[in-house]
Amino acid sequence: QVNLVESGRGLVQAGGSLRLSCAASGTSFSALAMGWYRQVLGKEREFVGGVSRSGAYTNYADSLKGRTVISRDYTNNLVYLQMSNLEPEDTAIHYCAASYSSYPDRPATAYRFWGPGIQVTVSS
């Protein structure tokens, strides 16, 4: 079992940046590929990006590439999501996810474990 908990400031001004953290526990953090997703009411869960088990590879949604950075801290079992140039359309519940796979694939079905989510609201 893997437990995930997201944290961070949930209210961001348009044009500003976002930094969320995800704390993992319950198993070896280094055995997990980590991903971030977001979802708005009435829409499908959307892949944001992820980082591989080794930390050597990242995978970002094409629409978000260039303003998204995902990194991990093996010492503290944390994975981070940083996003810049936020717009109101970025408003969504953001989820942290974990997989025993080595690479952070895009389909949500690739991830076995999920955090409860954290609301991010971008104000204009």
Side-chain angles (χ1 to χ4, degrees):
Q1 180 65 34
V2 177
N3 296 310
L4 305 172
V5 181
E6 303 93 345
S7 62
R9 293 185 65 179
L11 183 60
V12 185
Q13 293 184 347
S17 60
L18 170 72
R19 188 175 189 271
L20 299 178
S21 299
C22 174
S25 62
T27 192
S28 176
F29 184 59
S30 62
L32 303 168
M34 304 296 297
W36 285 95
Y37 286 77
R38 66 183 187 180
Q39 186 171 26
V40 300
L41 184 63
K43 294 187 177 181
E44 298 294 321
R45 191 165 296 187
E46 177 187 19
F47 178 74
V48 175
V51 60
S52 67
R53 180 187 297 166
S54 68
Y57 303 96
T58 53
N59 184 18
Y60 301 110
D62 291 341
S63 62
L64 302 176
K65 189 175 182 179
R67 64 186 184 101
T68 302
V69 176
I70 294 175
S71 58
R72 62 194 300 167
D73 178 352
Y74 292 94
T75 299
N76 297 297
N77 295 348
L78 295 171
V79 60
Y80 300 101
L81 169 63
Q82 299 178 89
M83 189 177 295
S84 61
N85 300 319
L86 292 169
E87 300 177 354
E89 66 186 44
D90 293 316
T91 295
I93 299 175
H94 286 65
Y95 297 93
C96 175
S99 169
Y100 283 123
S101 299
S102 61
Y103 188 79
D105 293 313
R106 296 186 177 185
T109 53
Y111 298 88
R112 184 179 301 178
F113 308 102
W114 296 83
I118 183 170
Q119 175 69 44
V120 174
T121 300
V122 182
S123 61
S124 60

